[in-house]
Amino acid sequence: MREKIPIGKMAKLNNITIQTLHHYDKIGLLSPCYIDPETNYRFYSIKQCACLDFIKYLKNMGFTLQEVKEVFAEKDADSISKLLDEQFQLIDQKMNELAQVKKTLKVAAENYRTYMQIPKMGVVEREYLSERIIYCYDGKRDIYEDQLETYEYILRELRDLALIHQFPTSYFCNVGSITRMETIKQRKLTSTEIFMFVDTVCSDVKGIELLPAHEYVSIYCDHFSQEKEYAFKLIDYIVENQLEIAGDYICEVIVELPCRTQYERQMIMKLQIPVKRIN
């Protein structure tokens, strides 16, 4: 070896820390080429910079140090190529997951902006809503009978089924309940079904439904105990304005506020009923 490079100089040459070189030695990734038996000083060869460059190269592609060791352990290009392909697929998966998180953040930001712009709770509005897709689950228990306790249990079941169907966990942040048209027309608010909004139609998954684009009457509600009163207020508005219920009643959770002093969810809900004019 023409030149023994001290550990400090080796770190400086490669823009890394001395602690990093110690760590690489500890995990068996890169060891000094010479250790002085008397002083225990560590020395490297300039040729070992190639190894450090390759470590940086792999780390920039998302490899962990353990995965870098696995690459170093392979002796042929075919094996290394296979590991690189696996890493490519992993990064592709992570990008898809991040894309879902980005969508969730976008929806959450829009919902919070909507919340900040609500002039007053309990005011009926008419609006046109675009087509939406939901994954609906029937928990077989009326959430309005035992109120939030039942709702929480059924939410757990919905979440577990969503994981089985490999839905992104970000979907679970945009949920609601549904009362079928035949029931709400009888001025009854009962529901055993909850749902979460999804992005695409999965034809092989039972429970996927389309909420068609339609005109809705809607009202905002900030407590579960007020929902029945406000839902009936929507029905009264429909009757008074010579409209007709044209679909299922939807209770959509717009935002959830931090629970600081209470144990139950602090939800802002948007109650919606599709309508049409009486012929």
Side-chain angles (χ1 to χ4, degrees):
M1 182 173 60
R2 294 184 179 180
E3 181 184 7
K4 293 184 291 188
I5 302 176
I7 189 171
K9 183 177 179 181
M10 188 66 170
K12 187 174 182 180
L13 283 170
N14 291 279
N15 294 312
I16 57 177
T17 65
I18 292 174
Q19 289 76 14
T20 296
L21 288 172
H22 277 297
H23 183 61
Y24 288 174
D25 183 22
K26 183 178 180 180
I27 65 175
L29 188 56
L30 178 68
S31 298
C33 62
Y34 176 75
I35 299 178
D36 190 301
E38 295 183 3
T39 64
N40 208 36
Y41 286 169
R42 297 161 179 259
F43 296 90
Y44 292 81
S45 165
I46 190 66
K47 295 179 181 180
Q48 289 180 290
C49 289
C51 183
L52 289 172
D53 287 344
F54 200 66
I55 292 172
K56 285 184 178 180
Y57 176 62
L58 294 176
K59 286 180 67 180
N60 285 338
M61 290 190 288
F63 282 85
T64 65
L65 290 180
Q66 180 58 41
E67 290 167 340
V68 171
K69 285 185 64 177
E70 292 175 13
V71 173
F72 278 17
E74 300 295 341
K75 302 300 182 182
D76 59 273
D78 288 343
S79 298
I80 294 176
S81 178
K82 182 180 178 182
L83 291 171
L84 292 174
D85 287 340
E86 290 174 355
Q87 184 66 9
F88 181 85
Q89 293 172 9
L90 178 62
I91 289 176
D92 201 38
Q93 178 184 339
K94 289 179 178 178
M95 288 176 66
N96 290 334
E97 291 172 354
L98 284 173
Q100 289 297 333
V101 172
K102 185 177 180 180
K103 288 180 182 178
T104 303
L105 286 170
K106 183 179 179 181
V107 171
E110 289 174 353
N111 286 345
Y112 271 93
R113 281 193 290 269
T114 299
Y115 165 64
M116 297 300 292
Q117 294 169 3
I118 296 172
K120 188 176 181 181
M121 295 291 167
V123 176
V124 178
E125 298 178 330
R126 289 173 66 172
E127 60 182 324
Y128 181 85
L129 296 177
S130 301
E131 180 181 87
R132 295 167 290 174
I133 309 169
I134 61 172
Y135 169 63
C136 196
Y137 167 67
D138 189 348
K140 307 298 184 183
R141 289 156 290 173
D142 184 6
I143 62 175
Y144 296 102
E145 185 176 327
D146 295 323
Q147 297 196 351
L148 281 177
E149 288 81 0
T150 299
Y151 178 73
E152 291 293 347
Y153 278 113
I154 299 178
L155 269 181
R156 304 309 107 199
E157 295 167 10
L158 174 69
R159 179 191 59 190
D160 291 343
L161 282 173
L163 293 175
I164 291 173
H165 292 306
Q166 297 183 329
F167 286 125
T169 54
S170 56
Y171 285 169
F172 192 66
C173 300
N174 200 191
V175 298
S177 62
I178 186 168
T179 298
R180 298 301 176 177
M181 180 172 64
E182 296 77 12
T183 302
I184 200 68
K185 276 187 172 182
Q186 299 173 34
R187 203 180 177 89
K188 294 180 181 178
L189 190 62
T190 60
S191 176
T192 61
E193 299 176 89
I194 61 174
F195 67 84
M196 63 184 185
F197 288 102
V198 297
D199 290 328
T200 56
V201 175
C202 304
S203 58
D204 59 334
V205 176
K206 182 180 178 181
I208 294 292
E209 296 184 28
L210 292 178
L211 299 181
H214 215 287
E215 183 181 12
Y216 283 77
V217 293
S218 61
I219 191 171
Y220 289 94
C221 176
D222 61 2
H223 199 277
F224 189 81
S225 63
Q226 295 177 317
E227 184 184 350
K228 183 171 291 187
E229 174 191 346
Y230 283 10
F232 292 161
K233 190 172 182 179
L234 285 179
I235 297 173
D236 291 338
Y237 178 92
I238 292 170
V239 173
E240 291 166 4
N241 288 271
Q242 297 183 325
L243 300 171
E244 184 179 350
I245 296 174
D248 300 326
Y249 163 87
I250 300 295
C251 173
E252 176 187 355
V253 177
I254 298 297
V255 296
E256 290 197 26
L257 303 176
C259 304
R260 295 181 179 176
T261 59
Q262 301 183 43
Y263 291 107
E264 64 182 41
R265 292 178 186 269
Q266 303 298 298
M267 300 181 293
I268 307 299
M269 299 166 287
K270 184 178 182 180
L271 318 181
Q272 310 152 47
I273 301 178
V275 294
K276 63 182 179 179
R277 289 202 170 275
I278 298 175
N279 295 327

